[in-house]
Amino acid sequence: MKKFMLACLLTATVSIATYAQQGAIHINGGIDGAFPLGDLGESYGVGFGATVKGLYGISDAGQVGLTLGYIGFGSKEDLGDGNSASFGVIPVLALYRHHFGSFYVEPQIGLSANRFKVKVSGVDFGGTASTTSLGYAAGIGYLIGNIDLSARYQGFSQNGSSSGFAGLRVAYNFTL
């Protein structure tokens, strides 16, 4: 798994751009705000994190790539006396981005590593659980020069149930 994650990170580090250009490699790093929905929203508050996207131009309007990152959510409830609970999402998603001028659409699918953690009196309670599930996202975005503004729904599904969040992202594009 470590070799797979390293290969994904290297792929992401070598990619993304403002407009798709066939054969062009670009990288896009950004900060994310996430608003949990459904069951996730009942237990956890607004989340924050960072993601990196690597993109490779396959046509004048299309790019393929990979999204990697981390988004963390804190417990909505005050658990008192140094007690806390958190939830983190690590997406590893393949994507296709199609440009319509500065506007784009971006479906994604892959894996979502999900981590639940509980601390009692500030000490790790041993209450850490990790799962890997199907991850998916559907997003739209707009490019202003090298600035990438986007919104998406990101979800994860396991054992017949699914959860997700609405995300907002501000990123900067680099061309390699």
Side-chain angles (χ1 to χ4, degrees):
M1 182 69 169
K2 288 181 183 179
K3 289 181 183 179
F4 174 73
M5 293 298 285
L6 181 59
C8 292
L9 182 60
L10 289 173
T11 301
T13 306
V14 182
S15 316
I16 195 161
T18 342
Y19 294 99
Q21 298 171 4
Q22 192 166 352
I25 297 174
H26 310 277
I27 196 161
N28 172 315
I31 56 172
D32 295 72
F35 306 92
L37 302 171
D39 292 341
L40 187 62
E42 291 178 19
S43 301
Y44 296 96
V46 174
F48 297 97
T51 51
V52 175
K53 294 182 182 185
L55 294 170
Y56 178 75
I58 59 171
S59 71
D60 288 341
Q63 293 175 296
V64 294
L66 184 67
T67 299
L68 298 172
Y70 178 82
I71 299 169
F73 300 87
S75 176
K76 226 181 211 183
E77 301 295 322
D78 179 14
L79 303 176
D81 296 332
N83 301 329
S84 66
S86 62
F87 173 69
V89 177
I90 301 171
V92 180
L93 305 172
L95 66 89
Y96 173 75
R97 179 181 282 190
H98 193 85
H99 294 268
F100 301 95
S102 293
F103 177 77
Y104 66 83
V105 294
E106 187 178 85
Q108 302 180 54
I109 191 162
L111 298 175
S112 180
N114 310 309
R115 183 174 182 210
F116 301 90
K117 187 172 187 176
V118 176
K119 287 187 179 182
V120 176
S121 298
V123 176
D124 248 338
F125 181 57
T128 300
S130 296
T131 62
T132 301
S133 59
L134 171 68
Y136 50 90
I140 58 172
Y142 191 79
L143 299 166
I144 304 169
N146 287 332
I147 305 298
D148 183 352
L149 305 172
S150 63
R152 73 181 178 285
Y153 172 79
Q154 185 168 327
F156 35 93
S157 179
Q158 187 171 9
N159 299 331
S161 66
S162 62
S163 294
F165 58 88
L168 297 175
R169 183 171 186 266
V170 177
Y172 189 80
N173 293 311
F174 300 91
T175 302
L176 299 180

